[in-house]
Amino acid sequence: MGAALGRARAVALVGTTGHVVDVEAHIADGLPAFTIVGLPDTAVSEARERVRAALSSCGRPWRPSRTTVNLAPASLHKHGTGLDLALAVSVLAAAGDIEDRRPRMFLGELGLDGRVQPVRGVLPAVLAARDSGLTEVVVPAGNAPEARLVSGMTVRAVEHLADVVVALGGEARRPVLPAGAGAGVGAGRKADAAGDAARPEPDLVDVLGQSAARRALEVAAAGGHHLLLLGPPGAGKSMLAARLPGLLPDLDDDAALEVTTVHSVAGTYSGDSLVRRPPFEEPHHTATAVAVVGGGSGLPRPGAASRAHRGVLLLDESPEFPTRVLDTLRQPLESGEIVLHRAAGSARFPARFQLVLTANPCPCGYADRDGALCTCSSAVRSRYLARLSGPLLDRVDLQVRVKSVSRAAAAVQDPSEPTAVVAARVASARAAAAERLAGTRWSTNAEVPGSWLRERTGRSAVATVAHAVDTGKLTMRGMDRVLRVAWSIADLAGSTSPTGLHVGEATMMRTEGVGRG
């Protein structure tokens, strides 16, 4: 037997970026061996056993030979099980059992019985295939709806390796599988996703009182501002924070594609359309830095901060989070992305989220109530809030104290506005901001630099906030953040520019939290 070469194409992901990989199989005489080269990780190296068993299940017995598979470019680290199908096709092509001359991409994990199972990251993989000039992809049936989100691509959905072999001109038998065996991972995940989609978002009408905190929530939604809610237990901080996503407008096409790509890579997407609602992530305070910002062994994967891209990241009881975890968010709050470097390579994930922090005023929580109820010393109170570092709080535009609502006040209050009414005002404010920022790289007031705002803000309004700087109530950076909030308040009011009243309200929302302007 002479040497033979077979090829197939697949995609390797680095972060949310796909790279087309040429899978080359070389079969030659020699001692029987199956070697995979080209910087595979453990999951890719183990593919040889999955491919061997899957081919045997299809009636294609493994021929003793020296088989070498190269994953090109060899300098790129490959990870995961998505290369299994392309590897099997390349081996069959090298053996002369099939012939595939059409440029197409193969993606899928193989089961030992030959089933083609769903994998993560299909959306960015198909986008990479299209950008490289390919027009056809072969994917697991469970991933087909996701693959069809990419326009201009012909998607072939397969359930078993035998289907692929027969379609490429080879001979194979499809074994009889147990009932339900073909459902795979995708079916179960899709049922969960359907349940999530049917779950209604919490409504603001459930919140009793808290007019100041509700106002801050509306301003935060209008301008994309980060928010700190500080108050005693039971005041409604978590309840308010959980209702912020419902105030945000649906994502546009570009943002929806970004969000769907992140969740595809993270393995948390299983729908058949782009994600249109802003995501909401609420990690527990025991979460590690890797869980929040991403990471892991080998090439990193997205964490909660990236999964909250274009949505809301809530850190409830934020002082209970490790300081290291909180401070890892400082850089993405400014840049809108997370770049993780590991020995196996670096990965870049988008992370432009709205951060919402909630906190009690002290460990026992009652410092803001009757002083007799608080058991904490002044030193303990200071150390508790000092867990939220100055550099982190400096990036939080709105810092609001949430006070307890008495039963008498709740009984006589006017009915609260529902989420739909407030969301309509937020949508109008965002539309005004989008018109003003058209032609720039910014989409919300929270992203606009202070120099750009100062040039477009009236002198009287600037003088009002400058006085707060002169008296030490605000820093220069705090001044810029007050102007951003003032523009959001003006957009909600339908004004073309902030007034002194708008600046005064913004200053109060900036400084009434923990007193760091």
Side-chain angles (χ1 to χ4, degrees), residues 118 141-146 148 183-198 267-273:
N143 291 131
E146 182 179 347
R148 293 192 177 103
V185 178
R189 287 173 53 206
K190 190 163 186 176
D192 293 341
D196 291 341
T268 55
Y269 172 79
S270 58
D272 54 8
S273 60

